[in-house]
């Protein structure tokens, strides 16, 4: 596999994962009650616990996105 193929792969990974991160963030910024009502049908949690879980997972996803999508893409751009 050449550098150009890897750069293209990580570019699309960054675009897709960034889109998921932005969508997830907007849902919890602008419709938190709707998301809680939807999820509480499957997972009966108190609202405070739900908020902690969601924000923790959002933070974890952001860290994983940066470490495994954005940083490799930027590194490949720098060496390419």
């Amino acid at each position: 596999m050449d550098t150009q193929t890897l750069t293209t792969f990580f570019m699309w990974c960054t675009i897709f994962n960034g889109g998921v991160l932005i969508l997830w963030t907007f849902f919890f910024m602008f419709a938190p009650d709707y998301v809680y009502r939807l999820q509480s049908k499957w997972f009966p949690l108190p609202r405070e616990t739900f908020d902690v879980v969601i924000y923790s997972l959002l933070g974890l996803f952001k860290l994983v996105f940066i470490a495994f999508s954005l940083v490799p893409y930027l590194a490949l751009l720098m060496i390419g």
Side-chain angles (χ1 to χ4, degrees):
M1 207 179 289
D2 61 339
T3 307
Q4 183 61 34
T5 305
L6 280 174
T7 303
T8 304
F9 171 76
F10 279 108
M11 177 191 71
W12 285 110
C13 282
T14 302
I15 290 170
F16 289 138
N17 287 327
V20 168
L21 182 62
I22 290 169
L23 184 67
W24 190 1
T25 302
F26 280 140
F27 264 111
F28 287 105
M29 285 177 59
F30 298 115
D33 294 328
Y34 172 74
V35 175
Y36 176 71
R37 278 186 282 125
L38 182 68
Q39 294 296 318
S40 65
K41 292 177 185 175
W42 298 314
F43 306 106
L45 291 173
R47 180 63 190 249
E48 295 80 21
T49 306
F50 178 78
D51 288 342
V52 168
V53 168
I54 290 301
Y55 289 122
S56 298
L57 289 174
L58 185 62
L60 178 65
F61 184 79
K62 184 170 41 172
L63 289 173
V64 169
F65 162 70
I66 290 170
F68 294 112
S69 289
L70 187 61
V71 170
Y73 175 61
L74 294 175
L76 285 167
L77 284 178
M78 290 170 49
I79 65 169

